[in-house]
Structures are given as C-alpha cells and as structure tokens.
C-alpha cells in the first residue's frame, strides 16, 4: 500500500517540510516562515506549522501518511501538545531541532555537533546512546557563537566607535552602510525599536564575519570572543560525556550552519580545538538540517 512520510525542520528563520513517497523519494518540498514560538508567539507558531503542512500536501492523493516527524525549535511540551491536535497526518512525533544536525554529524553514533544560525546550540549522543543538549538559550540570553551574538557584539562595538569611545575600525562604516543611517543616535534607535530585534541584529553578523576575513582586527576579536564562549560548553560536554576520548581515538564533532562554516569562524574554532586539545575530529556539515530529517525518516523504515 502506498504511504507518505512527512518531515519538518522548524526554527527561528524558516520552517522546511519534505514529503517522502513509499520508496523514500522526496515527492514535494515546502518552505514557510520560522515557527519558533519564542519568536513568533505561542498562538502563531502552530498556525505556521499547520499552514506549511497543508501547503506541502496540497493536490496530493489521499494515500495514508505512515509517519510525521516534527523537529522544531522551542519548548518540547508545547510542540507535543500542538502535535496532538494535528489530524490527518498519521502518527506524529516531535523532536528537538538539534536532532537532524546531530544525525548529519554522527550518523547515529556517539559524537557531538556545534550549530550556529540566527541562534546556536550544541547537541551530543553519548556512548550509552543518550541525547544531550546545551546552549540554545534564545536570543535574549546571547546564544554564544550565533548570528545574533556576533551581530550584537559587532553593533555594540560600532556604536562605541560612533560615540568616539572605541578605536576606529571598519565596523562603524559597515554599520552605517547596513542601516543607511549616519550617527550614533539614529543607529541605536534603529535597533532598539526594530519589531524583529533578533533578526535585525543577526543580519549584521555577515558584515562582521566578512570584515574579519579581510583582516579587520576588531571584527576578528568579536568572532573569536563569541566562539570562545561556545567552546566553554564544548569543554563541559567533552569532560562529562566523553572522558575516555583521546587524540588517538577522537570522536566526531560536526560543525553545522552557514555562519560557523565561514573561514573566519571555522579557523577560530579550529584554533580553539587545538589550544584546548579537544579529542575530536572536526567535520564541516554543509548539508541543511532538513536532510537530517530525511535520513531520520528513512532510518525508521
């Protein structure tokens, strides 16, 4: 009997959906706005999810759905309750948005992954198979190594330069060009009053990383400081979960997200790994999280 399988990866920036046919082939894709309830609200988040699922299945035959896997950012209890209200999508499972990138990094084996997009988190699968999560506190609390954190640090430095209290770098000029505003007050007001503050601040991160790659010392320091805070979480995970790992027997450590895989960020991470003697094998993950969702669906049979 024909049957569909549905997979969803939902974060703060976008909600990606895939539909697999009975042979495991991708039959349809749909991308919707982000559905993280911490950003869009608890009322809007499930609406975005339902509309995305409806768009994914629009015009499809009424064949049964054997499984729906929702890998979503935000409260697990919130999404479990929201999933229980979905009808017509077969058995619905919920999982954290860290699970797909962990799957891409370790293929179901022990190891960990560092992920940074607008937000950031670490995830690990211990030697006993247990899953662990660190960071991902949300933009209001920093999310070290994330686009938001790098953007926040870059804007703060640029604003101090516009005030005349920090050594000039190219960050102030980049901020002026980014916002189209010239002075400190106008730029400060722009970010304080932005209705989508987290996304507005994170949008400056690519400029900081670009300047770091061009040798701007202030931008390089910002990238290094942000990733160093993420590295402290890596230290804690390695010590607690993988105390027997060694340089001769390293564990896989995926590096996921467009931000972390830029040369300035990856180089800063590699330097930290060397300085701290992490017993890991750093592996850039260039596939999108939705590919991890697809693999999880296929692994279920």
């Amino acid at each position: 009997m024909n049957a569909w399988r549905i997979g969803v990866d939902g974060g703060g920036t976008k909600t990606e959906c895939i539909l697999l046919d009975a042979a495991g082939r991708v039959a349809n894709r749909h991308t919707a706005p982000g559905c993280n309830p911490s950003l869009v609200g608890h009322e809007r988040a499930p609406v975005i999810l339902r509309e995305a699922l409806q768009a994914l299945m629009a015009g499809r035959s009424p064949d049964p759905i054997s499984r729906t896997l929702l890998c979503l950012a935000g409260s697990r209890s919130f999404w479990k309750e929201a999933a229980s209200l979905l009808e017509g999508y077969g058995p619905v499972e919920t999982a954290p948005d860290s699970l797909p990138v962990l799957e891409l990094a370790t293929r179901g084996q022990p190891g960990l992954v560092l992920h940074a997009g607008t937000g950031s988190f670490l995830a690990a699968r211990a030697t006993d198979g247990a899953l662990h999560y660190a960071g991902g506190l949300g933009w209001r609390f920093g999310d070290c190594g994330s686009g938001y954190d790098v953007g926040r640090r870059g804007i703060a430095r640029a604003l101090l330069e516009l005030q005349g209290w920090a050594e000039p770098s190219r960050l102030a000029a980049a901020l002026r060009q980014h916002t189209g505003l010239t002075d400190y007050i106008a730029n400060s007001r722009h970010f304080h009053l932005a209705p989508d503050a987290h996304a507005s601040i994170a949008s400056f991160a690519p400029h900081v990383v670009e300047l770091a790659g061009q040798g701007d010392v202030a931008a390089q320091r910002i990238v290094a400081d942000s990733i160093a805070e993420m590295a402290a979480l890596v230290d804690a995970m390695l010590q607690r979960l993988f105390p027997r790992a060694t340089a001769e027997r390293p564990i896989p450590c995926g590096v996921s997200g467009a931000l972390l895989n830029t040369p300035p960020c990856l180089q800063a991470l590699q330097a930290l790994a060397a300085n701290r003697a992490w017993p890991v094998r750093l592996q850039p993950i260039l596939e999108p999280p939705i590919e991890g969702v697809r693999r999880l669906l296929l692994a279920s049979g």
Side-chain angles (χ1 to χ4, degrees), residues 177-201:
Q177 183 176 7
H178 178 66
T179 62
L181 304 170
T182 58
D183 62 8
Y184 159 75
I185 293 177
N187 276 284
S188 178
R189 182 184 297 118
H190 171 79
F191 291 104
H192 278 290
L193 299 181
D196 55 345
H198 70 287
S200 180
I201 291 171

Side-chain angles (χ1 to χ4, degrees), residues 234-261:
V234 179
D235 287 338
M237 272 197 161
L238 289 173
Q239 292 169 11
R240 183 178 301 180
L241 303 179
F242 306 102
R244 297 181 181 178
T246 64
E248 292 73 28
R249 298 177 60 186
I251 59 170
C253 179
V255 181
S256 172
L259 181 73
L260 276 185
N261 280 293

Side-chain angles (χ1 to χ4, degrees), residues 153-172 218 222:
R153 292 170 185 264
I155 292 167
R157 169 63 189 241
L159 290 175
L160 286 173
E161 291 180 23
L162 292 177
Q163 283 184 332
W165 294 109
E167 288 293 324
S169 73
R170 295 168 61 188
L171 286 166
I222 286 168

Side-chain angles (χ1 to χ4, degrees), residues 12-207:
T13 302
K14 59 185 175 180
T15 301
E16 290 191 84
C17 309
I18 55 171
L19 176 67
L20 303 186
D21 64 18
R25 297 176 298 236
V26 177
N28 197 21
R29 296 178 182 269
H30 179 73
T31 301
C35 64
N36 187 335
S38 298
L39 301 178
V40 301
H42 285 65
E43 292 185 3
R44 180 62 181 154
V47 173
I48 293 173
L49 175 62
R50 285 197 303 271
E51 291 178 347
L53 291 172
Q54 290 167 0
L56 181 74
M57 297 302 296
R60 300 287 158 178
S61 67
D63 291 331
I65 299 172
S66 63
R67 185 189 186 199
T68 293
L69 176 61
L70 308 177
C71 300
L72 304 171
S75 166
R76 290 290 304 281
S77 60
F78 169 82
W79 283 120
K80 186 174 182 179
E81 180 179 353
S84 70
L85 301 176
L86 292 173
E87 297 182 354
Y89 296 102
V92 180
E93 303 170 43
T94 60
D97 62 334
S98 59
L99 186 59
V101 292
L102 185 60
E103 176 65 20
L104 291 173
T106 71
R107 304 295 194 267
Q109 300 302 308
L112 68 158
V113 65
L114 287 64
H115 177 81
T118 302
S120 67
F121 60 78
L122 276 66
R125 180 179 282 104
T127 53
D128 62 359
L131 300 180
H132 300 266
Y133 183 88
L137 303 179
W139 68 277
R140 292 184 185 276
F141 303 104
D143 270 359
C144 51
S146 68
Y148 170 78
D149 190 52
V150 171
R152 176 187 66 82
R153 292 170 185 264
I155 292 167
R157 169 63 189 241
L159 290 175
L160 286 173
E161 291 180 23
L162 292 177
Q163 283 184 332
W165 294 109
E167 288 293 324
S169 73
R170 295 168 61 188
L171 286 166
L175 184 65
R176 287 192 180 110
Q177 183 176 7
H178 178 66
T179 62
L181 304 170
T182 58
D183 62 8
Y184 159 75
I185 293 177
N187 276 284
S188 178
R189 182 184 297 118
H190 171 79
F191 291 104
H192 278 290
L193 299 181
D196 55 345
H198 70 287
S200 180
I201 291 171
S203 69
F204 189 61
H207 300 288

